[in-house]
Amino acid sequence: MKVGFIGLGAMGSAMASNLLAAGHTLTVWNRSAAATEPLASLGARVARSADRAAQGEALCSMLANDQAVREVFLDGGLLDAMDRGTVHVNHATISVALAQELAAEHEKRGLEYVAAPVFGRPDMAAAAKLNILVAGKPAAIERVRPLLEAMGSKLWPLGEAPERANVAKIAGNFMLAAAIESMAEATALTRAHGVSAADFLDVMTSTLFAAPAYQGYGKLIAEQRFKPAGFTLPLGYKDVGLALAAGEAQRVPLPFASVLRDAMLEALAAGDAELDWSALALVAARRARLDERE
C-alpha cells in the first residue's frame, strides 16, 4: 500500500520501519525533521509538510497527545487537505472527547477513521509485537489490516465507534499505573524491613503476579533502571488524567486514579520528568525516607 506516517517518536519510528519491512511504500513527516533521517535511510520518502505525507491510500499517525493531534489534523488543516476515502489510522492515546470529535470531523469530509492505540513499549514496537486495539467501520479496518498486521502481533476489535478503542487504552494504562504503584509501595515496605526489592519482586513475579506487566516493570523497579524511559512519567500523568476525564464524563468514580495522579505529580515536582513511569518506586521510597535508613 501507499501509506503516510506522521509522528516519529520512539514508538512511531519503530512502527513505521515495520511498514517498510513489509514492503509498503512509505512517506513520513515529523515536526522535528531529524527524526525522519533513519527512516529515509531505509527507503522512506520524506515529506516537507504533513499534507504531503497524506497523499496515499492510508495515513497512520502516532502523535504524543490531544494537543499535538489537534494542532496537526484540525487546527493545521490536514483533514481538509486529505483526499476523500483516505483512511486515517490514529495510534495516539487521546481523550474520549477528542476521539469522538475526530470521528465526526472525518465523516464530514468523507474520510475514513480508525482508532488503533497500542499496548507495548518501543522494543515491542520494533519487533512488531504490539497489541493493537482497533475500532472503526469494518470496511475501513479491513482496508488497513495489512498495515496493522505488519506492526503488531494481534488485533483486538472493539466495535465501530472509534472512541471505544481509546477508552480501552486509557483504562489499560490506568491498570498498568496501578500495578506499578502497588509494586512501588510494596517494595518500599519490604525494603524498610530488610528485604530487597529484587528478592521480593522475584517471588511475586514468579508466583502470584507472573504476568508480563508485573514482570517487566518489576524488573525495572528491582534494578532501579528508570533510564532510558520506555514510557515517561509525563505521559503516564497525561493518561491518568484522561482516565479521570473519561470517568467524569460518564459519572464513573475512579478514586485510585486520583492517588496515581498525585503520585506522578509528586515525581514531576521532584524533577523526574525524564524517567520511566516505573520511577513511581522512587516516590514511594522518598516518602518512607528509605535512603536515610539504609
Side-chain angles (χ1 to χ4, degrees), residues 127-294:
K129 292 183 178 180
L130 296 171
N131 281 282
I132 304 179
L133 310 177
V134 186
K137 294 178 182 177
I141 292 173
E142 285 306 309
R143 284 178 58 190
V144 297
R145 180 176 291 274
L147 306 179
L148 299 172
E149 290 179 343
M151 295 183 285
S153 60
K154 187 173 178 61
L155 309 185
W156 300 89
L158 293 171
E160 290 198 25
E163 66 270 17
R164 291 183 179 180
N166 293 110
V167 76
K169 167 64 174 174
I170 291 167
N173 276 12
F174 165 58
M175 292 178 68
L176 284 173
I180 292 168
E181 178 66 15
S182 70
M183 287 188 286
E185 294 184 23
T187 54
L189 175 61
T190 63
R191 286 175 60 193
H193 287 271
V195 179
S196 72
D199 286 346
F200 170 69
L201 289 173
D202 185 37
V203 174
M204 291 296 102
T205 61
S206 299
T207 56
L208 300 179
F209 297 92
Y214 286 93
Q215 291 169 338
Y217 286 111
K219 185 175 178 62
L220 295 181
I221 291 171
E223 297 177 357
Q224 297 273 298
R225 184 158 45 89
F226 307 126
K227 283 185 177 182
F231 192 77
T232 64
L233 276 160
L235 289 175
Y237 181 71
K238 180 262 295 184
D239 286 355
V240 171
L242 294 181
L244 286 165
E248 183 177 354
Q250 292 295 328
R251 298 182 180 178
V252 178
L254 298 172
F256 197 61
S258 296
V259 172
L260 290 168
R261 177 192 58 194
D262 288 349
M264 290 183 180
L265 186 58
E266 187 174 341
L268 296 176
D272 297 335
E274 294 183 1
L275 302 184
D276 191 87
W277 65 338
S278 55
L280 282 174
L282 296 179
V283 176
R286 284 194 293 257
R287 287 171 176 166
R289 298 181 180 274
L290 292 182
D291 288 344
E292 298 176 14
R293 305 187 193 193
E294 296 176 347

Side-chain angles (χ1 to χ4, degrees), residues 30-217:
N30 194 69
R31 284 185 287 188
S32 173
T36 65
E37 294 174 3
L39 288 161
S41 69
L42 295 175
R45 300 171 183 172
V46 177
R48 294 182 179 179
S49 58
D51 61 305
R52 303 289 284 186
Q55 303 298 312
E57 303 160 71
L59 175 67
C60 297
S61 61
M62 186 52 146
L63 297 168
N65 51 35
D66 279 31
Q67 180 181 348
V69 172
R70 182 175 295 280
E71 286 178 356
V72 172
F73 283 93
L74 298 175
D75 299 342
L78 182 54
L79 289 188
D80 293 323
M82 293 169 64
D83 293 334
R84 291 179 67 87
T86 302
V87 184
H88 173 204
V89 185
N90 186 6
H91 299 289
T93 302
I94 59 171
S95 67
V96 172
L98 181 57
Q100 293 170 328
E101 183 181 354
L102 284 171
E105 293 299 326
H106 281 73
E107 188 168 2
K108 284 180 187 177
R109 294 164 174 81
L111 301 169
E112 299 293 344
Y113 181 63
V114 174
V118 304
F119 284 122
R121 291 162 70 90
D123 58 338
M124 294 181 69
K129 292 183 178 180
L130 296 171
N131 281 282
I132 304 179
L133 310 177
V134 186
K137 294 178 182 177
I141 292 173
E142 285 306 309
R143 284 178 58 190
V144 297
R145 180 176 291 274
L147 306 179
L148 299 172
E149 290 179 343
M151 295 183 285
S153 60
K154 187 173 178 61
L155 309 185
W156 300 89
L158 293 171
E160 290 198 25
E163 66 270 17
R164 291 183 179 180
N166 293 110
V167 76
K169 167 64 174 174
I170 291 167
N173 276 12
F174 165 58
M175 292 178 68
L176 284 173
I180 292 168
E181 178 66 15
S182 70
M183 287 188 286
E185 294 184 23
T187 54
L189 175 61
T190 63
R191 286 175 60 193
H193 287 271
V195 179
S196 72
D199 286 346
F200 170 69
L201 289 173
D202 185 37
V203 174
M204 291 296 102
T205 61
S206 299
T207 56
L208 300 179
F209 297 92
Y214 286 93
Q215 291 169 338
Y217 286 111

